[in-house]
Amino acid sequence: MTIMPEFPPLFMDQLHDLFRWRRDVRHFRRDRVPEPVLDELLRVACLAPSVGLSEPWRFVRVDDPRRRDAVRQDFTRCNAEALADRTGADAQRYARLKLAGLDDAPHHIAVLSHPEPAQGRGLGRGTMPQTTTWSTVMAIHTFWLAATAVGVGVGWVSIIDPERIRAILDVEPTLELVAYLCVGYPAEVASTPELERRGWERRAPERREWIRR
């Protein structure tokens, strides 16, 4: 019989520290993460739960300088459009934010999701088909926590056009772009979100309360 391991209080304290110190990193050192470390992080990410055991995620390493440059250009265009939608002090605050580490991060990883994978045979998706996307997000979060545990930073770039990015990467057209990740060693570390440190937003204590019905 398989016996589940026990997790002592020290481990739980360290796990809570991991949650607190996981950050969306935008400032990276340029030295590369060793390939065995990246490979192990991918293996850990694939331990994530998925609807019907479908494992719909697809991780794509973006190493081609031309593709990376095209992604940067798309971010610049989308970010300028987002800034143009804001006015006054809000626009000034937005303009001061660094919202991507695309220039310095040594590794770029696109994470895509198969909306209707054959694996899993549709289990659990009849009434909530979007659970394949959510499963892929779980894999991203698992990757993120595992990376933080070994001192590797991850930044999620969302100010991009998914259709253009898919075309840049020349991936299967049925795949959905869920995330474009910058990965590398962080240039600075903090236990609070950068957006909070820079006065953009604060955590809401009421989000930590249960809603009862």
Side-chain angles (χ1 to χ4, degrees):
M1 183 178 73
T2 302
I3 300 176
M4 183 174 179
E6 294 185 6
F7 301 104
L10 176 59
F11 171 83
M12 294 305 300
D13 290 342
Q14 293 173 330
L15 181 61
H16 293 163
D17 285 340
L18 176 62
F19 295 152
R20 281 192 290 268
W21 282 87
R22 183 219 53 81
R23 295 273 66 82
D24 188 356
V25 177
R26 288 87 181 266
H27 307 269
F28 291 91
R29 291 162 25 195
R30 295 201 173 189
D31 46 315
R32 298 178 64 82
V33 177
E35 289 298 318
V37 174
L38 283 178
D39 288 343
E40 178 61 19
L41 293 178
L42 176 59
R43 283 192 287 269
V44 173
C46 293
L47 295 176
S50 61
V51 60
L53 198 57
S54 59
E55 298 181 309
W57 48 77
R58 305 290 184 270
F59 289 82
V60 177
R61 289 275 300 273
V62 185
D63 297 328
D64 185 345
R66 293 171 298 179
R67 296 187 197 273
R68 286 193 182 197
D69 186 59
V71 171
R72 290 189 192 95
Q73 292 179 31
D74 188 71
F75 167 80
T76 299
R77 177 171 48 250
C78 291
N79 196 41
E81 293 172 356
L83 176 59
D85 288 337
R86 299 178 181 273
T87 59
D90 193 52
Q92 294 175 9
R93 285 193 294 268
Y94 184 93
R96 289 194 294 266
L97 296 174
K98 180 178 175 61
L99 297 174
L102 292 166
D103 293 332
D104 294 328
H107 308 283
H108 292 194
I109 300 176
V111 188
L112 300 106
S113 186
H114 201 305
E116 296 182 4
Q119 184 174 330
R121 292 180 289 163
L123 180 66
R125 305 202 308 267
T127 52
M128 301 182 75
Q130 64 271 44
T131 47
T132 51
T133 302
W134 300 344
S135 298
T136 299
V137 172
M138 291 292 290
I140 294 167
H141 189 238
T142 303
F143 177 88
W144 209 327
L145 290 177
T148 302
V150 295
V152 174
V154 178
W156 187 327
V157 183
S158 61
I159 308 174
I160 48 178
D161 184 296
E163 295 304 317
R164 283 200 291 257
I165 300 303
R166 288 198 315 169
I168 290 168
L169 300 182
D170 191 24
V171 295
E172 183 182 338
T174 57
L175 294 178
E176 170 196 13
L177 179 71
V178 177
Y180 194 91
L181 305 178
C182 294
V183 178
Y185 293 111
E188 56 185 31
V189 295
S191 61
T192 55
E194 181 171 342
L195 293 179
E196 183 174 351
R197 300 196 308 275
R198 297 189 178 278
W200 179 261
E201 190 56 272
R202 304 187 70 84
R203 289 192 183 277
E206 61 269 22
R207 299 291 185 269
R208 304 170 196 175
E209 300 175 358
W210 294 105
I211 298 175
R212 299 183 184 274
R213 290 290 184 268

